[in-house]
Amino acid sequence: MTRPETGGARTPHPGEHPAGAARVRRFSPAERLVHRTTALLTGLCVLTAACLYLPQLAELVGRRELVVRVHEWSGLLLPVPLLAGLLSRAFRADLRLLNRFGPHDRVWLRSALRRDARPGSRPAGKFNAGQKTYAAWIAGAVLVMLGTGLLMWFTHLAPLVWRTGATFVHDWLALTVGIVLAGHIGMALARPEARRGMRTGSVDREWAEREHPLWRP
């Protein structure tokens, strides 16, 4: 039998809804701040990259040197919100849940691949298998983008052949990241309650029991 996933620390937080409330706490203020700051920096990276690589946008915006600097610094600062979030116990607890892949997650993935949306066909804890896969992929992509970006920025760090390879990987991975982020935003727009949970910190209890039946907040 799959063990239910708890939402992290048992200690109640100020403003937390009681057990019988219509809404349940999903994210702490610190977690929401990490998400918003990361989203802002990621958006700056994507927009400035588009201005650097698409001639139409480059002509419209101009000031290429400023765009380059904003792109470089927003990319360099991208890991900072996550590192700062480690000071939050709730954030650390959710990271542990995201890094834990159980049998129910494999069931969720198989059902998603079959497009099986029947009730109960996609068991999930606080985070479903799709969210866990996305989090792992985007974390790895950010590290690769940061590493290749540093090689491109500080040209004395590596020989020309390395910098050429780094540029190739950086550019194509950036395109992939843009596509994946578009999918992430599209799925968020299609799920207003999940979006509300990230915006306000709480979700409807009925939604939580339906979409994340193994989660015990």
Side-chain angles (χ1 to χ4, degrees):
M1 180 181 294
T2 303
R3 295 175 58 187
E5 292 185 3
T6 61
R10 294 284 187 176
T11 306
H13 299 271
E16 184 174 8
H17 299 278
R23 300 190 66 77
V24 295
R25 184 184 182 90
R26 184 162 173 83
F27 296 114
S28 68
E31 291 175 289
R32 303 202 306 275
L33 181 60
V34 169
H35 185 269
R36 290 168 184 170
T37 309
T38 302
L40 174 62
L41 290 171
T42 303
L44 284 173
C45 285
V46 172
L47 289 174
T48 51
C51 291
L52 292 172
Y53 285 96
L54 297 177
Q56 297 85 350
L57 287 178
E59 293 177 5
L60 181 65
V61 175
R63 306 193 66 179
R64 182 178 178 85
E65 185 64 25
L66 175 61
V67 173
V68 169
R69 292 292 168 257
V70 172
H71 182 77
E72 290 172 341
W73 281 103
S74 57
L76 191 63
L77 293 173
L78 196 52
V80 173
L82 187 145
L83 295 175
L86 294 176
L87 297 173
S88 164
R89 182 172 60 176
F91 184 75
R92 295 195 304 271
D94 277 355
L95 279 184
R96 286 193 291 270
L97 293 179
L98 282 168
N99 287 327
R100 190 177 302 156
F101 206 89
H104 61 283
D105 293 309
R106 288 187 282 273
V107 173
W108 192 99
L109 286 175
R110 286 195 295 267
S111 297
L113 290 173
R114 294 196 304 265
R115 298 183 180 276
D116 184 356
R118 292 175 300 171
S121 65
R122 300 186 184 185
K126 185 172 185 179
F127 303 103
N128 62 45
Q131 292 167 325
K132 293 178 180 181
T133 303
Y134 169 79
W137 187 89
I138 201 69
V142 166
L143 289 176
V144 174
M145 294 290 287
L146 181 61
T148 54
L150 287 173
L151 288 177
M152 296 163 60
W153 190 359
F154 300 101
T155 56
H156 63 280
L157 292 178
L160 177 61
V161 64
W162 286 25
R163 299 198 305 271
T164 302
T167 302
F168 177 84
V169 172
H170 194 88
D171 291 351
W172 282 101
L173 185 56
L175 177 61
T176 307
V177 168
I179 295 172
V180 172
L181 284 176
H184 178 68
I185 294 171
M187 295 184 72
L189 292 175
R191 292 163 173 78
E193 190 61 30
R195 202 167 65 248
R196 186 178 182 187
M198 184 55 71
R199 187 177 71 252
T200 67
S202 65
V203 293
D204 181 74
R205 179 176 290 276
E206 183 180 350
W207 176 90
E209 292 173 350
R210 183 179 68 252
E211 299 293 332
H212 301 269
L214 300 179
W215 177 38
R216 299 294 180 264

Short mmCIF file of all heavy atoms in Angstrom, two decimals, residues 104-146:
data_model
loop_
_atom_site.label_atom_id
_atom_site.label_comp_id
_atom_site.label_asym_id
_atom_site.label_seq_id
_atom_site.Cartn_x
_atom_site.Cartn_y
_atom_site.Cartn_z
N HIS A 104 3.33 5.00 -6.81
CA HIS A 104 2.15 5.72 -7.30
C HIS A 104 2.50 6.72 -8.39
O HIS A 104 1.67 7.03 -9.24
CB HIS A 104 1.44 6.43 -6.14
CG HIS A 104 2.28 7.45 -5.45
ND1 HIS A 104 3.28 7.14 -4.57
CD2 HIS A 104 2.28 8.82 -5.53
CE1 HIS A 104 3.85 8.24 -4.12
NE2 HIS A 104 3.26 9.27 -4.69
N ASP A 105 3.75 7.22 -8.37
CA ASP A 105 4.17 8.15 -9.42
C ASP A 105 4.31 7.43 -10.76
O ASP A 105 3.99 7.99 -11.81
CB ASP A 105 5.50 8.81 -9.04
CG ASP A 105 5.35 9.74 -7.85
OD1 ASP A 105 4.44 10.58 -7.88
OD2 ASP A 105 6.12 9.60 -6.89
N ARG A 106 4.77 6.19 -10.73
CA ARG A 106 4.86 5.42 -11.98
C ARG A 106 3.47 5.13 -12.53
O ARG A 106 3.25 5.15 -13.74
CB ARG A 106 5.65 4.13 -11.73
CG ARG A 106 7.14 4.37 -11.53
CD ARG A 106 7.91 3.05 -11.46
NE ARG A 106 7.76 2.43 -10.15
CZ ARG A 106 8.54 2.70 -9.12
NH1 ARG A 106 9.52 3.59 -9.23
NH2 ARG A 106 8.37 2.09 -7.96
N VAL A 107 2.52 4.88 -11.62
CA VAL A 107 1.13 4.68 -12.06
C VAL A 107 0.61 5.96 -12.70
O VAL A 107 -0.06 5.91 -13.75
CB VAL A 107 0.24 4.28 -10.85
CG1 VAL A 107 -1.23 4.24 -11.27
CG2 VAL A 107 0.67 2.92 -10.31
N TRP A 108 0.90 7.09 -12.10
CA TRP A 108 0.46 8.39 -12.64
C TRP A 108 1.01 8.61 -14.03
O TRP A 108 0.29 9.02 -14.95
CB TRP A 108 0.91 9.50 -11.71
CG TRP A 108 0.29 10.85 -11.99
CD1 TRP A 108 -0.77 11.41 -11.35
CD2 TRP A 108 0.70 11.80 -13.00
NE1 TRP A 108 -1.05 12.65 -11.88
CE2 TRP A 108 -0.17 12.92 -12.90
CE3 TRP A 108 1.69 11.80 -13.96
CZ2 TRP A 108 -0.07 14.02 -13.73
CZ3 TRP A 108 1.80 12.91 -14.81
CH2 TRP A 108 0.93 13.99 -14.69
N LEU A 109 2.31 8.34 -14.23
CA LEU A 109 2.93 8.55 -15.53
C LEU A 109 2.33 7.64 -16.60
O LEU A 109 2.08 8.06 -17.73
CB LEU A 109 4.44 8.33 -15.43
CG LEU A 109 5.24 9.43 -14.74
CD1 LEU A 109 6.70 9.03 -14.61
CD2 LEU A 109 5.13 10.75 -15.51
N ARG A 110 2.10 6.37 -16.24
CA ARG A 110 1.50 5.45 -17.21
C ARG A 110 0.10 5.91 -17.60
O ARG A 110 -0.28 5.86 -18.78
CB ARG A 110 1.46 4.03 -16.64
CG ARG A 110 2.82 3.33 -16.60
CD ARG A 110 2.67 1.84 -16.38
NE ARG A 110 2.09 1.55 -15.07
CZ ARG A 110 2.82 1.30 -13.98
NH1 ARG A 110 4.16 1.35 -14.04
NH2 ARG A 110 2.25 1.04 -12.82
N SER A 111 -0.67 6.37 -16.63
CA SER A 111 -2.02 6.85 -16.92
C SER A 111 -1.98 8.11 -17.78
O SER A 111 -2.78 8.28 -18.70
CB SER A 111 -2.77 7.15 -15.62
OG SER A 111 -2.93 5.97 -14.85
N ALA A 112 -1.01 9.00 -17.49
CA ALA A 112 -0.89 10.22 -18.28
C ALA A 112 -0.51 9.90 -19.72
O ALA A 112 -1.04 10.51 -20.66
CB ALA A 112 0.14 11.14 -17.65
N LEU A 113 0.38 8.95 -19.92
CA LEU A 113 0.79 8.58 -21.28
C LEU A 113 -0.36 7.95 -22.04
O LEU A 113 -0.47 8.10 -23.27
CB LEU A 113 1.98 7.61 -21.22
CG LEU A 113 3.31 8.23 -20.75
CD1 LEU A 113 4.36 7.14 -20.58
CD2 LEU A 113 3.79 9.29 -21.74
N ARG A 114 -1.24 7.24 -21.33
CA ARG A 114 -2.42 6.63 -21.97
C ARG A 114 -3.58 7.62 -22.08
O ARG A 114 -4.63 7.28 -22.62
CB ARG A 114 -2.89 5.41 -21.18
CG ARG A 114 -1.93 4.24 -21.15
CD ARG A 114 -2.64 2.98 -20.69
NE ARG A 114 -3.26 3.19 -19.39
CZ ARG A 114 -2.69 2.86 -18.21
NH1 ARG A 114 -1.46 2.33 -18.21
NH2 ARG A 114 -3.30 3.06 -17.07
N ARG A 115 -3.37 8.84 -21.56
CA ARG A 115 -4.43 9.86 -21.50
C ARG A 115 -5.65 9.36 -20.74
O ARG A 115 -6.79 9.65 -21.09
CB ARG A 115 -4.82 10.31 -22.91
CG ARG A 115 -3.68 10.96 -23.69
CD ARG A 115 -4.14 11.45 -25.03
NE ARG A 115 -3.06 12.06 -25.79
CZ ARG A 115 -2.65 13.32 -25.67
NH1 ARG A 115 -3.27 14.11 -24.82
NH2 ARG A 115 -1.65 13.79 -26.40
N ASP A 116 -5.39 8.59 -19.71
CA ASP A 116 -6.44 8.05 -18.86
C ASP A 116 -6.74 9.06 -17.75
O ASP A 116 -5.94 9.26 -16.84
CB ASP A 116 -5.99 6.72 -18.25
CG ASP A 116 -7.08 6.05 -17.44
OD1 ASP A 116 -8.17 6.65 -17.27
OD2 ASP A 116 -6.85 4.92 -16.96
N ALA A 117 -7.87 9.72 -17.84
CA ALA A 117 -8.23 10.76 -16.87
C ALA A 117 -9.35 10.32 -15.93
O ALA A 117 -9.98 11.15 -15.29
CB ALA A 117 -8.65 12.03 -17.60
N ARG A 118 -9.58 9.02 -15.84
CA ARG A 118 -10.63 8.53 -14.95
C ARG A 118 -10.28 8.83 -13.50
O ARG A 118 -9.11 8.84 -13.13
CB ARG A 118 -10.81 7.03 -15.13
CG ARG A 118 -11.38 6.61 -16.47
CD ARG A 118 -11.41 5.09 -16.58
NE ARG A 118 -10.04 4.54 -16.44
CZ ARG A 118 -9.78 3.25 -16.32
NH1 ARG A 118 -10.77 2.38 -16.28
NH2 ARG A 118 -8.52 2.83 -16.23
N PRO A 119 -11.31 9.08 -12.65
CA PRO A 119 -11.04 9.32 -11.23
C PRO A 119 -10.28 8.16 -10.62
O PRO A 119 -10.63 6.99 -10.80
CB PRO A 119 -12.45 9.44 -10.63
CG PRO A 119 -13.32 9.86 -11.78
CD PRO A 119 -12.73 9.19 -12.98
N GLY A 120 -9.21 8.45 -9.90
CA GLY A 120 -8.43 7.42 -9.26
C GLY A 120 -7.34 6.81 -10.12
O GLY A 120 -6.54 6.02 -9.63
N SER A 121 -7.31 7.17 -11.42
CA SER A 121 -6.30 6.57 -12.30
C SER A 121 -4.93 7.23 -12.16
O SER A 121 -3.93 6.68 -12.61
CB SER A 121 -6.75 6.66 -13.76
OG SER A 121 -6.83 8.02 -14.18
N ARG A 122 -4.90 8.43 -11.55
CA ARG A 122 -3.64 9.15 -11.40
C ARG A 122 -3.40 9.51 -9.93
O ARG A 122 -3.57 10.65 -9.52
CB ARG A 122 -3.64 10.42 -12.25
CG ARG A 122 -3.82 10.15 -13.74
CD ARG A 122 -3.66 11.42 -14.55
NE ARG A 122 -3.92 11.20 -15.97
CZ ARG A 122 -3.77 12.12 -16.91
NH1 ARG A 122 -3.34 13.32 -16.57
NH2 ARG A 122 -4.03 11.84 -18.17
N PRO A 123 -2.99 8.53 -9.12
CA PRO A 123 -2.74 8.82 -7.70
C PRO A 123 -1.56 9.76 -7.54
O PRO A 123 -0.56 9.66 -8.24
CB PRO A 123 -2.42 7.43 -7.12
CG PRO A 123 -1.89 6.64 -8.28
CD PRO A 123 -2.66 7.14 -9.48
N ALA A 124 -1.69 10.70 -6.61
CA ALA A 124 -0.63 11.68 -6.40
C ALA A 124 -0.61 12.13 -4.96
O ALA A 124 -1.65 12.21 -4.31
CB ALA A 124 -0.84 12.89 -7.33
N GLY A 125 0.59 12.41 -4.46
CA GLY A 125 0.74 13.02 -3.17
C GLY A 125 0.61 14.53 -3.33
O GLY A 125 -0.12 15.02 -4.18
N LYS A 126 1.36 15.28 -2.54
CA LYS A 126 1.27 16.73 -2.65
C LYS A 126 1.66 17.20 -4.05
O LYS A 126 1.11 18.16 -4.58
CB LYS A 126 2.17 17.40 -1.61
CG LYS A 126 2.02 18.92 -1.61
CD LYS A 126 2.76 19.57 -0.46
CE LYS A 126 2.48 21.07 -0.44
NZ LYS A 126 3.18 21.75 0.68
N PHE A 127 2.63 16.50 -4.67
CA PHE A 127 3.04 16.79 -6.05
C PHE A 127 2.87 15.54 -6.88
O PHE A 127 3.26 14.44 -6.45
CB PHE A 127 4.50 17.26 -6.08
CG PHE A 127 4.77 18.46 -5.22
CD1 PHE A 127 5.40 18.32 -4.00
CD2 PHE A 127 4.38 19.73 -5.63
CE1 PHE A 127 5.64 19.42 -3.20
CE2 PHE A 127 4.61 20.84 -4.84
CZ PHE A 127 5.25 20.68 -3.62
N ASN A 128 2.28 15.69 -8.07
CA ASN A 128 2.14 14.52 -8.92
C ASN A 128 3.43 14.25 -9.68
O ASN A 128 4.38 15.04 -9.65
CB ASN A 128 0.94 14.68 -9.86
CG ASN A 128 1.08 15.86 -10.82
OD1 ASN A 128 2.14 16.08 -11.42
ND2 ASN A 128 0.00 16.63 -10.98
N ALA A 129 3.46 13.13 -10.38
CA ALA A 129 4.69 12.72 -11.07
C ALA A 129 5.09 13.71 -12.16
O ALA A 129 6.28 13.89 -12.42
CB ALA A 129 4.50 11.33 -11.66
N GLY A 130 4.12 14.33 -12.80
CA GLY A 130 4.44 15.33 -13.82
C GLY A 130 5.16 16.53 -13.22
O GLY A 130 6.13 17.04 -13.79
N GLN A 131 4.69 16.98 -12.06
CA GLN A 131 5.32 18.12 -11.39
C GLN A 131 6.73 17.76 -10.92
O GLN A 131 7.65 18.57 -11.00
CB GLN A 131 4.45 18.57 -10.21
CG GLN A 131 3.13 19.17 -10.65
CD GLN A 131 2.14 19.32 -9.51
OE1 GLN A 131 2.10 18.50 -8.58
NE2 GLN A 131 1.34 20.38 -9.56
N LYS A 132 6.90 16.53 -10.43
CA LYS A 132 8.22 16.09 -9.98
C LYS A 132 9.19 16.00 -11.15
O LYS A 132 10.35 16.41 -11.04
CB LYS A 132 8.10 14.73 -9.29
CG LYS A 132 7.34 14.77 -7.97
CD LYS A 132 7.22 13.38 -7.37
CE LYS A 132 6.45 13.42 -6.05
NZ LYS A 132 6.33 12.07 -5.43
N THR A 133 8.71 15.47 -12.27
CA THR A 133 9.57 15.36 -13.46
C THR A 133 9.95 16.73 -13.98
O THR A 133 11.12 16.98 -14.34
CB THR A 133 8.84 14.56 -14.56
OG1 THR A 133 8.48 13.26 -14.05
CG2 THR A 133 9.72 14.39 -15.79
N TYR A 134 8.99 17.64 -14.01
CA TYR A 134 9.27 19.01 -14.47
C TYR A 134 10.29 19.68 -13.56
O TYR A 134 11.24 20.33 -14.04
CB TYR A 134 7.98 19.82 -14.52
CG TYR A 134 8.22 21.30 -14.73
CD1 TYR A 134 8.50 21.80 -16.00
CD2 TYR A 134 8.19 22.19 -13.65
CE1 TYR A 134 8.74 23.16 -16.19
CE2 TYR A 134 8.42 23.54 -13.84
CZ TYR A 134 8.70 24.02 -15.11
OH TYR A 134 8.94 25.36 -15.28
N ALA A 135 10.12 19.55 -12.25
CA ALA A 135 11.03 20.19 -11.30
C ALA A 135 12.45 19.67 -11.48
O ALA A 135 13.42 20.45 -11.47
CB ALA A 135 10.55 19.96 -9.87
N ALA A 136 12.60 18.35 -11.65
CA ALA A 136 13.93 17.77 -11.82
C ALA A 136 14.55 18.24 -13.13
O ALA A 136 15.74 18.58 -13.18
CB ALA A 136 13.85 16.25 -11.79
N TRP A 137 13.75 18.26 -14.19
CA TRP A 137 14.28 18.66 -15.51
C TRP A 137 14.70 20.12 -15.51
O TRP A 137 15.79 20.46 -15.99
CB TRP A 137 13.23 18.42 -16.59
CG TRP A 137 13.77 18.65 -17.97
CD1 TRP A 137 14.37 17.73 -18.78
CD2 TRP A 137 13.78 19.89 -18.69
NE1 TRP A 137 14.76 18.34 -19.96
CE2 TRP A 137 14.41 19.64 -19.93
CE3 TRP A 137 13.32 21.18 -18.41
CZ2 TRP A 137 14.58 20.64 -20.89
CZ3 TRP A 137 13.50 22.18 -19.36
CH2 TRP A 137 14.12 21.90 -20.58
N ILE A 138 13.87 20.99 -14.98
CA ILE A 138 14.18 22.42 -15.03
C ILE A 138 15.37 22.75 -14.13
O ILE A 138 16.17 23.63 -14.45
CB ILE A 138 12.94 23.28 -14.64
CG1 ILE A 138 13.08 24.71 -15.19
CG2 ILE A 138 12.71 23.29 -13.15
CD1 ILE A 138 12.98 24.80 -16.68
N ALA A 139 15.52 22.02 -13.01
CA ALA A 139 16.67 22.25 -12.14
C ALA A 139 17.96 21.87 -12.88
O ALA A 139 18.96 22.61 -12.83
CB ALA A 139 16.54 21.44 -10.86
N GLY A 140 17.95 20.73 -13.57
CA GLY A 140 19.12 20.33 -14.34
C GLY A 140 19.41 21.29 -15.47
O GLY A 140 20.57 21.63 -15.74
N ALA A 141 18.35 21.75 -16.15
CA ALA A 141 18.53 22.68 -17.27
C ALA A 141 19.14 24.00 -16.80
O ALA A 141 20.01 24.57 -17.47
CB ALA A 141 17.19 22.94 -17.95
N VAL A 142 18.71 24.49 -15.64
CA VAL A 142 19.24 25.75 -15.11
C VAL A 142 20.73 25.61 -14.82
O VAL A 142 21.53 26.51 -15.11
CB VAL A 142 18.47 26.18 -13.84
CG1 VAL A 142 19.22 27.28 -13.09
CG2 VAL A 142 17.08 26.66 -14.21
N LEU A 143 21.13 24.47 -14.25
CA LEU A 143 22.55 24.26 -13.95
C LEU A 143 23.38 24.24 -15.23
O LEU A 143 24.48 24.83 -15.29
CB LEU A 143 22.73 22.95 -13.18
CG LEU A 143 22.22 22.96 -11.73
CD1 LEU A 143 22.38 21.58 -11.11
CD2 LEU A 143 22.98 24.00 -10.89
N VAL A 144 22.87 23.55 -16.27
CA VAL A 144 23.60 23.49 -17.54
C VAL A 144 23.66 24.87 -18.18
O VAL A 144 24.70 25.29 -18.70
CB VAL A 144 22.94 22.47 -18.49
CG1 VAL A 144 23.60 22.51 -19.87
CG2 VAL A 144 23.05 21.06 -17.92
N MET A 145 22.54 25.60 -18.16
CA MET A 145 22.51 26.94 -18.73
C MET A 145 23.48 27.87 -17.99
O MET A 145 24.17 28.69 -18.61
CB MET A 145 21.10 27.51 -18.67
CG MET A 145 20.09 26.78 -19.53
SD MET A 145 20.37 27.04 -21.29
CE MET A 145 19.81 28.72 -21.48
N LEU A 146 23.54 27.73 -16.67
CA LEU A 146 24.44 28.57 -15.88
C LEU A 146 25.90 28.25 -16.22
O LEU A 146 26.72 29.16 -16.44
CB LEU A 146 24.19 28.34 -14.39
CG LEU A 146 25.05 29.16 -13.41
CD1 LEU A 146 24.81 30.65 -13.62
CD2 LEU A 146 24.72 28.78 -11.97
#
